[in-house]
Amino acid sequence: MLSECAVGTRGRVVDVRVKKTFRNRVLDLGLTPGTEVEVVRKALLGDPIILRFRGYQMGFRKNDVKGIRIDTES
């Protein structure tokens, strides 16, 4: 899961299983299956998580990205 990845981890989004209201927002932002993503930074307690994807960086709450699974072997 994306929320458990260490800083510097890169991979491709495999599955997005989050709350329906947040899912629509995430998909609209471009965090869709197949998208390359990198964990850029995490706060001390892991919240928020800063992700880089599609040429920009965005912060997310740890609970919001718990359902996003990535493949780090691609």
Side-chain angles (χ1 to χ4, degrees):
M1 294 298 160
L2 190 54
S3 62
E4 299 168 1
C5 292
V7 173
T9 302
R10 292 181 178 194
R12 289 189 181 271
V13 175
V14 175
D15 196 16
V16 180
R17 293 187 182 202
V18 294
K19 294 179 186 175
K20 185 177 179 180
T21 54
F22 186 68
R23 178 181 168 82
N24 292 338
R25 181 172 170 223
V26 168
L27 295 177
D28 287 345
L29 290 170
L31 196 56
T32 57
T35 302
E36 291 183 22
V37 64
E38 176 185 2
V39 178
V40 177
R41 195 172 16 166
K42 282 186 171 184
L44 290 175
L45 298 175
D47 197 16
I49 298 172
I50 309 298
L51 304 176
R52 179 181 296 135
F53 59 98
R54 297 197 184 263
Y56 61 97
Q57 293 182 12
M58 179 152 294
F60 293 94
R61 292 182 185 136
K62 187 175 181 178
N63 284 335
D64 289 342
V65 296
K66 276 188 177 178
I68 298 176
R69 192 167 51 112
I70 66 168
D71 179 14
T72 58
E73 296 183 20
S74 298

